[in-house]
Amino acid sequence: MADDGIADTPTALGSRLRAAREQRGATLTGVGCATGISLSTLSRIETGRRKPTLEVLLRLAKEYDVSLDELAGTAPAAAAGPRPPVPQRSGNDKAVLPLTRYVGGLHAHKHVLPAIDAPPARPRQVSHDGYEWLCVLYGRLWLALGDQDLVLTAGEVAEFDTRTAHGVANAGPDGPVEYLIMFGPQGERLRLRTPPAPGRGAGRP
């Protein structure tokens, strides 16, 4: 029998579900509360250790505002034309604006943390598979990365393996914080391309 990729479907589907959830800035706990699906079930589905039923898939597709074809990876490349991104709100009033529609592979979104009136607590940390590139556009962002505490300002960039515990918060009372995230759910990274050094031809090693 030819290999049609069906055996890899649970793992690939889990990665797409995790990417769709994170693209909306949602947590497993939040999705569980919204859909009635248990936290353990959601976790096992995202890691490919459990096959979701059709009912579960329909609930998640509705929650993430994606089609079943998108989750299965069978959506046509030019399906129905692009829809304008809609900012999503998480439980801490963070706004998340998806910048890419595709829910698999490398994707981008913009986050806005509201202004604060009091010094923040250390950010709650999470860890998961993937790789993240973060760039601050405005304000001061507190990045708690493992045991390190970094304060990033406009124009500063951080990149890290998301298996390292990490969390972010507004670092000060100066106003909101805006930042961009590029995330590879399966460890995809940005590839830096630069022009050849002066004096070297483009075709030379």
Side-chain angles (χ1 to χ4, degrees):
M1 182 181 293
D3 181 6
D4 55 7
I6 296 298
D8 296 330
T9 297
T11 299
L13 182 59
S15 296
R16 293 189 187 99
L17 285 167
R18 183 175 64 244
R21 173 176 60 79
E22 291 170 347
Q23 191 170 16
R24 295 174 68 84
T27 64
L28 285 174
T29 301
V31 172
C33 291
T35 62
I37 304 169
S38 72
L39 187 62
S40 61
T41 296
L42 290 170
S43 178
R44 290 174 65 84
I45 289 173
E46 287 195 0
T47 55
R49 292 177 293 165
R50 177 167 179 168
K51 295 181 180 180
T53 64
L54 178 58
E55 179 185 359
V56 166
L57 276 180
L58 288 171
R59 290 188 196 179
L60 294 176
K62 181 178 180 181
E63 177 67 16
Y64 300 150
D65 190 27
V66 297
S67 68
L68 291 179
D69 280 342
E70 287 177 284
L71 292 179
T74 58
R83 288 184 289 175
V86 178
Q88 307 297 326
R89 294 277 177 181
S90 64
N92 59 2
D93 207 31
K94 175 176 69 175
V96 180
L97 180 68
L99 301 178
T100 46
R101 185 65 188 158
Y102 180 51
V103 298
L106 196 68
H107 58 269
H109 33 99
K110 178 181 178 181
H111 294 233
V112 180
L113 292 173
I116 57 176
D117 298 324
R122 191 171 196 264
R124 182 180 66 86
Q125 294 179 301
V126 297
S127 60
H128 49 82
D129 289 339
Y131 199 84
E132 188 168 300
W133 179 90
L134 181 155
C135 176
V136 177
L137 302 176
Y138 177 84
R140 300 170 68 245
L141 182 72
W142 181 356
L143 171 62
L145 185 61
D147 295 330
Q148 301 181 69
D149 288 282
L150 308 171
V151 175
L152 307 177
T153 58
E156 293 189 311
V157 174
E159 59 175 321
F160 52 91
D161 188 320
T162 53
R163 289 175 297 184
T164 301
H166 58 282
V168 297
N170 191 332
D174 302 327
V177 181
E178 299 183 12
Y179 58 101
L180 295 177
I181 282 181
M182 291 285 290
F183 175 69
Q186 300 183 55
E188 301 91 339
R189 302 190 185 190
L190 300 181
R191 296 184 294 275
L192 180 64
R193 295 290 299 273
T194 58
R200 297 183 63 180
R204 296 176 57 189

